[in-house]
Amino acid sequence: MARVKHAVVAGGAGFIGSHLCDRLLADGCRVTAVDNLVTGRPANIAHLRGQRRFRFLRHDIARPLRLAGPVDRIFNLASPASPVDFPRIPVEILLAGSYGSRNLLDLAVRTKARYLLASTSEVYGDPLVHPQTEAYWGNVNPVGPRSCYDESKRFAEAITMAYHRARSADVRIVRIFNTYGPRMRLDDGRVVPALVDQALRGLPLTVFGSGRQTRSFCYVTDLVDGICRLMESDAAGPVNIGNPSEMPIIEFARAIKRITGASSAIVFQPLPADDPKQRRPDIRKARRLLGWRPRVAFERGIRTTIDWFATEGQR
Ligand code: NAD
Ligand code: UDP
């Protein structure tokens, strides 16, 4: 990112966004993090406050955004992303994906900045093609409990391409698969913080359904590297970024028990509606176009994450 002067990170106080801010600052960029803190936390960026090249702006991207001076890159990560948020704030999620995307795309056109949308593997819904390639159009229930998120991101992809085709916006789309690491919220409800928290507190580990459904977990620094490579590439996308090593959720629960040494029982609870049965990224496009592949093995990444939750994360 050495040539980039000023980057805007919408969602910069969130889990992934704060790691992206770290990376951009380390690369020498000036960074403006824009966030309304609906799911993000000031603690994620507390270490950046006071840095000369870092600025935080509390702002809801569903409202128009004006910034003084030139902008080179806009990373749009601003959206709640956890299934626990879907019944809680579905309208806000849809407004972030729709009005929010439009407002940041308008900023990109005005400032001639390059724009990157953080999309998701959820655009594939409960996929009928496995592993998922970017050419797959998905299997999404448009009225189900996950639709506020899935359709918000599908709309966000569509408006990104519309601005690209009709308004000459310079755009990139990354489809992010399940990502984990330090700074996830303990109460965020996603399987990594939920089970790590339960194991650390000696509580039963809650596995939804049979636990045979699969996910593929990518460590956050690998993801951030993929995002930066895509931003600086010539590929508009969409490009999948994720770790293709796939595991059933029951195996994930057993790994957490083993690594933490917890004596917790594993208990089975009902599977939420429309929970995808399998998910694994096909990353051939990322390898070919970006020279990207994940570097952090699950065992190493999850140990770092557990250590963080055991210390910082409990505060
Ligand atoms: P997060 O909730 O930690 O981060 C999202 C951030 O966006 C938060 O700080 C939140 O306060 C902010 N935000 C939400 N709505 C906003 C609005 N209207 N205006 C301004 N700020 C707003 O979640 P995350 O896991 O870091 O996800 C970041 C992005 O990556 C999201 O767009 C998400 O959809 C995408 N993504 C994440 C994953 C994953 O596994 N973590 C997978 C696929 C896609
Ligand atoms: N899950 C689980 N126990 C939990 C939280 C989640 O078994 O306490 C399951 C969930 O049903 C899903 C998988 O773990 O099958 C991943 O869930 P997460 O919410 O992390 O992400 P997503 O479903 O969006 O991939």
Side-chain angles (χ1 to χ4, degrees):
M1 304 295 297
R3 287 168 294 118
V4 177
K5 291 194 189 75
H6 181 202
V8 171
V9 179
F15 157 51
I16 298 172
S18 62
H19 285 278
L20 178 60
C21 290
D22 287 347
R23 164 68 187 265
L24 294 169
L25 288 162
D27 286 354
C29 306
R30 187 158 64 82
V31 175
T32 302
V34 177
D35 203 299
N36 67 352
L37 301 177
V38 62
T39 55
R41 295 185 310 158
N44 289 341
I45 49 168
H47 60 294
L48 303 179
R49 300 271 187 160
Q51 280 205 25
R52 199 174 41 82
R53 287 184 283 109
F54 180 75
R55 183 163 74 112
F56 176 71
L57 191 63
R58 187 165 184 170
H59 177 83
D60 182 344
I61 61 157
R63 298 158 62 93
L65 177 62
R66 293 210 163 259
L67 292 174
V71 178
D72 303 296
R73 301 284 186 267
I74 299 171
F75 295 86
N76 183 6
L77 280 74
S79 168
S82 168
V84 296
D85 297 324
F86 303 167
R88 190 173 68 87
I89 43 172
V91 176
E92 287 80 354
I93 293 172
L94 282 155
L95 294 181
S98 54
Y99 285 105
S101 294
R102 184 193 65 177
N103 289 330
L104 294 185
L105 282 159
D106 280 340
L107 179 69
V109 169
R110 270 199 314 275
T111 58
K112 298 192 168 48
R114 186 176 292 167
Y115 172 90
L116 178 141
L117 169 69
S119 184
T120 169
S121 53
E122 284 284 328
V123 300
Y124 303 123
D126 190 2
L128 305 176
V129 167
H130 194 72
Q132 292 78 56
T133 64
E134 292 86 349
Y136 178 47
W137 290 354
N139 176 39
V140 171
N141 175 356
V143 294
R146 299 175 85 95
S147 65
C148 57
Y149 183 65
D150 299 10
E151 299 293 9
S152 164
K153 291 290 185 180
R154 289 170 69 97
F155 177 87
E157 289 201 10
I159 195 172
T160 299
M161 292 312 295
Y163 267 69
H164 177 57
R165 294 188 180 111
R167 301 197 181 171
S168 305
D170 183 13
V171 302
R172 306 287 181 269
I173 298 174
V174 57
R175 290 186 180 149
I176 301 171
F177 283 64
N178 296 66
T179 300
Y180 71 98
R183 302 189 196 147
M184 293 188 95
R185 272 186 299 140
L186 266 185
D187 60 352
D188 143 316
R190 283 181 277 190
V191 73
V192 175
L195 269 58
V196 170
D197 182 42
Q198 290 160 353
L200 291 176
R201 294 202 284 145
L203 299 172
L205 271 50
T206 53
V207 167
F208 298 162
S210 65
R212 281 199 300 269
Q213 73 273 26
T214 65
R215 294 295 186 272
S216 308
F217 296 102
C218 184
Y219 191 65
V220 64
T221 52
D222 279 337
L223 170 75
V224 164
D225 185 51
I227 288 177
C228 291
R229 283 173 187 250
L230 175 60
M231 185 59 121
E232 297 314 306
S233 77
D234 293 327
V239 177
N240 290 337
I241 298 286
N243 190 321
S245 72
E246 179 183 4
M247 70 171 76
I249 293 302
I250 185 72
E251 259 182 42
F252 175 76
R254 290 188 186 123
I256 297 296
K257 253 183 78 114
R258 174 175 54 79
I259 296 167
T260 56
S263 53
S264 308
I266 293 179
V267 295
F268 294 88
Q269 293 186 351
L271 190 68
D274 299 341
D275 197 281
K277 286 182 270 310
Q278 52 184 1
R279 187 181 288 153
R280 169 155 57 104
D282 182 319
I283 59 165
R284 282 175 295 178
K285 197 170 172 186
R287 278 179 182 268
R288 194 176 70 250
L289 298 180
L290 314 179
W292 178 87
R293 66 179 172 82
R295 308 266 163 188
V296 181
F298 175 74
E299 190 80 14
R300 179 153 74 90
I302 201 71
R303 280 182 188 276
T304 308
T305 306
I306 291 169
D307 287 349
W308 184 84
F309 274 122
T311 52
E312 308 284 317
Q314 305 285 350
R315 290 197 192 124

